Amino acid sequence: MVEYKFDTQLLIEGQNLDEDAINEYFVNNFKGDCLLAVGDDELIKIHYHTNEPWLVLEYCASLGEIYDVVIENMERQANGLKG
């Protein structure tokens, strides 16, 4: 069994995006692991394992337009099912 079962990935498009501030917000406000928040001030790629992907989506949507959203259930994948 995986500790954080949802692999959450998305892109944020906006203005004045700050990957350091986004990383810090994730660390201080969400439970999860495998954080990747990289990009520039107009586009950030997010990758995060969590049990509460809806919180990640809500926060990211507050920063700009989100798209290419993928949420996969890694627990199902580990059991040979579609995630």
Side-chain angles (χ1 to χ4, degrees):
M1 187 166 168
V2 295
E3 184 175 2
Y4 300 107
K5 72 183 201 177
F6 294 107
D7 177 5
T8 307
Q9 303 173 51
L10 60 101
L11 295 172
I12 309 167
E13 186 174 38
Q15 295 179 354
N16 302 313
L17 298 173
D18 182 340
E19 68 181 48
D20 292 331
I22 294 169
N23 273 291
E24 185 175 331
Y25 189 90
F26 268 76
V27 169
N28 293 325
N29 293 281
F30 301 134
K31 293 179 184 175
D33 63 11
C34 297
L35 173 61
L36 175 68
V38 296
D40 57 30
D41 64 343
E42 295 180 354
L43 185 67
I44 298 285
K45 165 74 175 179
I46 299 291
H47 173 268
Y48 194 56
H49 296 171
T50 183
N51 290 329
E52 302 170 322
W54 54 89
L55 297 177
V56 172
L57 296 178
E58 181 179 45
Y59 168 67
C60 292
S62 76
L63 300 175
E65 183 177 357
I66 62 173
Y67 63 100
D68 285 350
V69 177
V70 176
I71 300 172
E72 297 179 319
N73 185 327
M74 296 183 297
E75 194 171 273
R76 286 180 53 87
Q77 289 175 335
N79 292 325
L81 304 170
K82 289 188 176 186

